[in-house]
Amino acid sequence: MTGRMTGLKTIAIAAGLMLASVAQAAAPAPEQAPAAAPGVTISAETAAAPATTTPPTAAPATVDPMLADNGGPAIAPVTGVGQPVDKFMGVQDQVTPTGRRAAWMHDVILMPVITAISIFVLLLLMYAMWRYRRAANPVASKTSHNTTIEVIWTLAPVVILVLIAVPSIGLLQAQFKPAPANAITLKAIGNQWYWSYQYPDNGGFEITSNMLKEKGATAPGERARTDADGPALLATDNRIVLPVGVPIRLLTTSNDVIHAWAMPAFWIKLDAIPGRINETSFTIEKPGVYFGQCSELCGARHGYMPITVAAVDKATFDKWVVAKGGTVKGAAPAPAADAPPAPAADAAPANATDTAAPAAGAPQADK
């Protein structure tokens, strides 16, 4: 009996030791006091005080670069590109095929012909003034006409005009050539006195473009123009963004009076007429920022309707369109989130055994 009691005590003591070790392992470890720097004494109260933890700070919200203050990708304008240059004579550098063709005709055909005709007429007038002055001709000539001269001055202008008409007709045809099927449509709407734009091929979203005011002329909450926006009277708060290398179909109309959408670097000037839609097309060859203006006298603030185009690659243009809430032309529409899953094509109905017709050539069951 005594041996049995001794065995029970031994078992109870062993069980108590096991429970104590389990409880000690489950208890949280005490927080470790911060280590003191060399030569610094930490008091008992400080060491016993609970350590304070700094709550993690929320990460700053990322801003889509496609939604910049200027309404598009952050592209800085380049002086002398796509904008007027002080004391420069000639047309702007062209960045469209039609513009380069028109600039070639202006520089190589029209200007030399006009210059030659002007110099010839000036020399002819000077010769007539010297040859037929009173001192050399005390008795005036009574000649009324000269057949040879009349034939020459009638036929010569006709020949010159025919020679100029050959490249001119081709240029006009290129300017009004219909846009291809893969073109992206931009609809420009004139208002007194600002422009609004729609992208019908990209979901139909709309942006409004106003001229940026100078510092000191802005109202509370308005953004003033900076050099990164462009020249004075040409920079806008929202830029038009267009892709490079893709045909653009330009549609113009107006909500009030006649305006004109003019972009010198594209060789484009198209009237915006109320109740009517005009159309032309162009293809931008070089990325950059280009500036234009309304070129039709439309009222008191006609000179404050600038146009700013940011030409970017197609991938950047697509990102900008999506950031504006539009859709990429030609992209497959995303499936609806709540649409039920489509049934499998080879799934058989539950009662296929009873209702399915026997396959062709299969043996019929005996009835």
Side-chain angles (χ1 to χ4, degrees):
M1 186 68 179
T2 305
R4 185 179 299 178
M5 292 297 295
T6 304
L8 290 175
K9 288 182 179 181
T10 304
I11 293 173
I13 293 172
L17 291 174
M18 291 177 61
L19 291 175
S21 61
V22 170
Q24 184 177 3
E31 293 185 0
Q32 196 171 18
V40 178
T41 304
I42 300 178
S43 62
E45 292 79 1
T46 305
T52 58
T53 58
T54 305
T57 57
T62 58
V63 180
D64 193 335
M66 296 297 114
L67 298 177
D69 288 341
N70 58 13
I75 304 177
V78 179
T79 303
V81 177
Q83 57 183 283
V85 178
D86 188 24
K87 299 179 181 179
F88 174 76
M89 296 181 62
V91 298
Q92 292 185 15
D93 291 339
Q94 299 299 302
V95 294
T96 64
T98 303
R100 288 188 289 103
R101 183 175 178 179
W104 171 85
M105 182 173 178
H106 174 272
D107 296 338
V108 177
I109 297 180
L110 294 182
M111 287 302 296
V113 170
I114 293 173
T115 303
I117 293 175
S118 299
I119 293 176
F120 172 75
V121 172
L122 177 61
L123 294 177
L124 190 61
L125 286 174
M126 295 176 64
Y127 171 77
M129 292 168 60
W130 175 80
R131 173 66 178 78
Y132 299 103
R133 68 189 188 279
R134 175 179 292 185
N137 297 274
V139 179
S141 173
K142 298 183 180 296
T143 303
S144 59
H145 64 276
N146 185 296
T147 304
T148 303
I149 293 178
E150 289 185 358
V151 170
I152 292 175
W153 75 35
T154 301
L155 291 181
V158 172
V159 172
I160 294 174
L161 291 177
V162 169
L163 294 176
I164 294 177
V166 173
S168 296
I169 294 174
L171 178 60
L172 288 174
Q173 184 182 11
Q175 286 179 310
F176 295 97
K177 182 180 180 180
N182 64 332
I184 292 178
T185 303
L186 172 68
K187 185 176 181 181
I189 305 170
N191 306 272
Q192 287 181 315
W193 288 272
Y194 62 93
W195 292 96
S196 55
Y197 299 94
Q198 296 176 356
Y199 287 78
D201 295 337
N202 299 99
F205 68 94
E206 182 173 343
I207 62 175
T208 301
S209 183
N210 287 279
M211 185 191 73
L212 286 174
K213 299 178 182 178
E214 298 299 302
K215 293 181 179 179
T218 57
E222 289 183 339
R223 184 170 68 90
R225 182 194 68 86
T226 63
D227 292 338
D229 296 309
L233 303 180
L234 291 178
T236 59
D237 56 354
N238 281 306
R239 295 174 175 176
I240 314 162
V241 181
L242 294 175
V244 173
V246 179
I248 306 298
R249 178 187 294 106
L250 175 65
L251 307 178
T252 59
T253 188
S254 173
N255 286 331
D256 34 56
V257 299
I258 299 178
H259 303 273
W261 199 90
M263 182 61 60
F266 301 168
W267 203 269
I268 293 292
K269 181 182 181 296
L270 193 64
D271 284 346
I273 303 174
R276 176 175 176 176
I277 294 180
N278 288 332
E279 178 179 345
T280 188
S281 63
F282 58 91
T283 302
I284 308 173
E285 296 178 323
K286 298 179 181 179
V289 183
Y290 305 97
F291 299 92
Q293 288 177 301
C294 174
S295 295
E296 188 70 39
L297 189 60
C298 58
R301 295 187 60 82
H302 156 69
Y304 303 96
M305 289 183 62
I307 304 165
T308 309
V309 174
V312 297
D313 59 273
K314 184 62 166 58
T316 304
F317 172 76
D318 292 342
K319 292 179 181 178
W320 177 81
V321 167
V322 174
K324 287 294 185 181
T327 57
V328 178
K329 182 179 180 180
D338 55 350
D346 56 351
N351 57 349
T353 306
D354 300 331
T355 60
Q364 298 287 336
D366 295 335
K367 293 183 181 180

